[in-house]
Amino acid sequence: MNTITIKNKHDRKINELEKVCIKLREFEKTKDYKAFYTFIKTTQVPFIPCYERKAKAIYQECFDTLHSIGGISIPVAVALSMHYYVLASLSSYPFSIQSMEYWKREMLLKKIRKEKLLIANTGSIRTFKDTSINENIITQIEKDNYIVNGEAPFMSLSEVADYIVFTAELSKEDKLVFFVSSNTNGITFHDAPFGDEMLGSFTKSVRFDNLNVNSNNVIKLNSAKEEKYELLIYQRSWFQGLISAPYLGAALSVILCLKEFSRKKIRHDKLLSESDNFLDSIGELMMKYKTANQLCKYTGVSISNFKKGDTVLLEKMFETSVLSKYYSTHIAEEIVTKIRSLMGSKFLSPGTITNKIYKEIVYGPLQPMTDLDIKNYFGTKVMHHET
């Protein structure tokens, strides 16, 4: 009986994802991305973490969804990954049932599920040790409310999401996580320096001017030094794990384009697909894609193994997510570049998915943590003998 229930539930999600992908292809032609986000909210696809609470299952379903959407539009999948990682990390984090944060989380998830809300956010931390991002967003207490001022340089889903999430500094030692309706007075969005390639992500900077937030919309981070940023590190690990999915989905999409191309292209009096050299080339590309996929899957396992208060598992989870992000985004870019050389001018034909993905794939390594951040992190560990 349970097997049938699970199977039907899974099939329903697969069917919804297929519908979402069909709609996205339609909206890609008109570039009416706001209409797409309006449509996707009518499905259960953006709200997987509200229905599934086990970290491993959430991770795999979110990753698979972003992978499928990334094969059509990297910018849209990247934007949805921002929504997913906040929602997924919040829903799966092991808050104590006796804590106020636990019940605030439950109320928020219920609201998101019922009202079908999309979440935008400014990010949290860059490395395991350094949790200083968003230093320019500060808050003060006034009676039962918090007054927030400052600016964050990047927020995907700006002017599209219903709620925004951000971290602000109350004092040098205290940071708070805020959940606020995006149309609240005191919030303004400004264009970020991206071209049309990332149009569908709606990435902008966000400014807070005397934003008034009730304490009910705030989660306080633990004041103990070793535990204070655990939620933010957990959250960033989700981000690093999921952000590769759009780029790997795009890489697979281009591999499939190469497959079709090889069945029509004739070289030396025979189809390209019949060439041993070609089979070696496409086989190697597929091996690299599958290797990257396995790295990302292991991140999901690492996240699911996390236990609150265990600093060893916390650091292992974080490093696993960072390594999967680094290698997967680079492998995706390498695959697409290699296929461009195999397909030649056909690859860059205007209006083709290969040309579109070629312009978008380069943003993978630029997603935080950037290459420089990652190398610096591991370089610092080596110099401090933390190997």
Side-chain angles (χ1 to χ4, degrees), residues 126-127 322 325-326 330 365-380:
R126 297 185 76 81
T127 69
V322 168
K325 183 267 175 184
Y326 178 85
H330 277 281
L366 302 178
Q367 299 280 352
M369 292 168 61
T370 64
D371 288 359
L372 185 61
D373 293 327
I374 295 169
K375 292 174 182 177
N376 183 269
Y377 167 77
F378 284 103
T380 301

Side-chain angles (χ1 to χ4, degrees), residues 325-379:
K325 183 267 175 184
Y326 178 85
Y327 286 105
S328 296
T329 54
H330 277 281
I331 285 172
E333 188 175 7
E334 180 186 342
I335 288 171
V336 172
T337 302
K338 176 66 175 177
I339 291 175
R340 182 200 64 183
S341 67
L342 291 171
M343 290 181 63
S345 58
K346 179 73 173 178
F347 182 95
L348 296 174
S349 298
T352 59
I353 187 67
T354 49
N355 186 24
K356 179 178 184 295
I357 288 175
Y358 182 62
K359 295 175 182 177
E360 298 170 348
I361 201 74
V362 296
Y363 286 93
L366 302 178
Q367 299 280 352
M369 292 168 61
T370 64
D371 288 359
L372 185 61
D373 293 327
I374 295 169
K375 292 174 182 177
N376 183 269
Y377 167 77
F378 284 103

Side-chain angles (χ1 to χ4, degrees), residues 221-232:
L221 302 179
N222 195 305
S223 59
K225 186 174 182 180
E226 291 300 318
E227 299 177 9
K228 186 188 300 181
Y229 304 118
E230 189 177 82
L231 173 60
L232 296 183

